Amino acid sequence: MGRHFEVRAKAMAETAAKKSAIYMRASKEIYMAARSGDPNPDSNLALRSAIEKWKGQSVPKDVIDRAIKKASGGTAENYVSGRYEAFGPGGSYFIIDTLSDNNNRALTEVRTAITKKGGHMGSVAYYFTEYGVLAFKSTNRDEVEETLILSDIDVKEVSLDDGIIEVLVEPSYFGRAKEVLSSMGVSEYEVAEIEPIANDLIEITDEEDKRKFNELCDMLDELQDVQGVHHNVKN
């Protein structure tokens, strides 16, 4: 499949709006994880995973600590997850995940961004497959792959690009894969989550379509209800 890994935080840090959006996403996800159990990450796996995820995307410690403190204080906020599918410019497909206290607002904002760039809402999930994705700084690709396989992990792909190893596993093996990697000394992740991966990647060659696609990605990244954007376009 050969999916090139990208650290979304690098692109998102380009503008104040994007930085604000990523901090909001991190706060909501960490808040919900802390509210769902013990606010101590040592005894709350979901919270620990959320913290690792957002630390890997350069979210400051004070943002993380405020979200945990807010949850510990019993603040009665509730966020509901949503998933929207769409056709974008140049034959692109999008799956957009949201976490919002107002799903009507989330849907409206996502639909507005899609239609503004010539796309439309529609079912595209068939073109994606869910995988557990674990990406971390390392270069010992062969050792990682061999150790995971010998640990009876259903590994779909292990790739190395620019000092980042990306492991794709069946979702049911995600937790076990993290345990094995932890035993190998992996403690921080660029990405550690289950997400939809495009079965086939395309390249947009038309310059107008490429411009619209890039602008659409930027617009979605700036929406504070959006937690993740997945597409089928080569970076």
Side-chain angles (χ1 to χ4, degrees):
M1 184 163 51
R3 188 176 76 100
H4 175 69
F5 173 74
E6 62 174 332
V7 181
R8 294 180 64 243
K10 291 182 179 179
M12 294 193 69
E14 292 176 358
T15 68
K18 289 182 179 180
K19 184 175 291 187
S20 174
I22 196 172
Y23 290 178
M24 177 63 75
R25 291 170 189 164
S27 295
K28 287 191 292 188
E29 187 168 331
I30 291 168
Y31 168 83
M32 291 298 290
R35 286 268 294 173
S36 69
D38 192 329
N40 182 352
D42 292 334
S43 55
N44 184 334
L45 179 60
L47 176 57
R48 186 162 69 248
S49 296
I51 291 172
E52 289 174 357
K53 169 185 173 180
W54 292 107
K55 280 176 64 179
Q57 296 195 31
S58 302
V59 172
K61 184 177 183 296
D62 66 309
V63 172
I64 294 171
D65 290 344
R66 280 200 304 270
I68 296 174
K69 184 177 180 180
K70 182 178 179 181
S72 302
T75 306
E77 290 189 15
N78 188 43
Y79 299 104
V80 179
S81 60
R83 171 163 286 186
Y84 306 103
E85 303 170 35
F87 296 86
S92 59
Y93 305 139
F94 281 86
I95 291 180
I96 303 108
D97 290 325
T98 62
L99 190 62
S100 175
D101 58 358
N102 185 330
N103 271 0
N104 288 333
R105 180 188 66 220
L107 171 58
T108 298
E109 291 184 344
V110 168
R111 180 190 287 129
T112 298
I114 294 290
T115 56
K116 187 173 287 186
K117 295 304 172 182
H120 62 276
M121 308 299 285
S123 179
V124 299
Y126 172 82
Y127 301 102
F128 294 78
T129 301
E130 292 274 341
Y131 288 106
V133 183
L134 296 154
F136 49 93
K137 293 179 181 177
S138 181
T139 56
N140 58 339
R141 179 205 169 280
D142 293 343
E143 180 185 353
V144 167
E145 183 175 45
E146 181 179 0
T147 302
L148 289 169
I149 291 174
L150 290 176
S151 300
D152 294 325
I153 305 297
D154 190 349
V155 179
K156 295 303 178 183
E157 181 181 340
V158 180
S159 60
L160 172 62
D161 194 358
D162 292 335
I164 298 288
I165 289 179
E166 183 182 70
V167 177
L168 301 184
V169 301
E170 279 295 313
S172 60
Y173 288 85
F174 179 72
R176 175 63 182 144
K178 284 194 71 176
E179 292 177 0
V180 173
L181 292 172
S182 177
S183 72
M184 298 180 67
V186 179
S187 59
E188 294 189 2
Y189 293 89
E190 306 293 318
V191 172
E193 57 189 315
I194 296 173
E195 62 180 58
I197 304 296
N199 298 327
D200 296 294
L201 297 177
I202 67 167
E203 184 172 355
I204 299 178
T205 56
D206 181 83
E207 290 301 319
E208 179 66 10
D209 283 340
K210 187 183 298 185
R211 178 186 65 80
K212 289 181 179 179
F213 170 82
N214 289 330
E215 290 176 353
L216 175 55
C217 288
D218 287 342
M219 290 176 68
L220 292 171
D221 274 342
E222 290 180 7
L223 297 178
Q224 293 192 354
D225 285 333
V226 170
Q227 288 294 112
V229 177
H230 316 281
H231 58 71
N232 67 327
V233 178
K234 292 180 182 178
N235 298 310

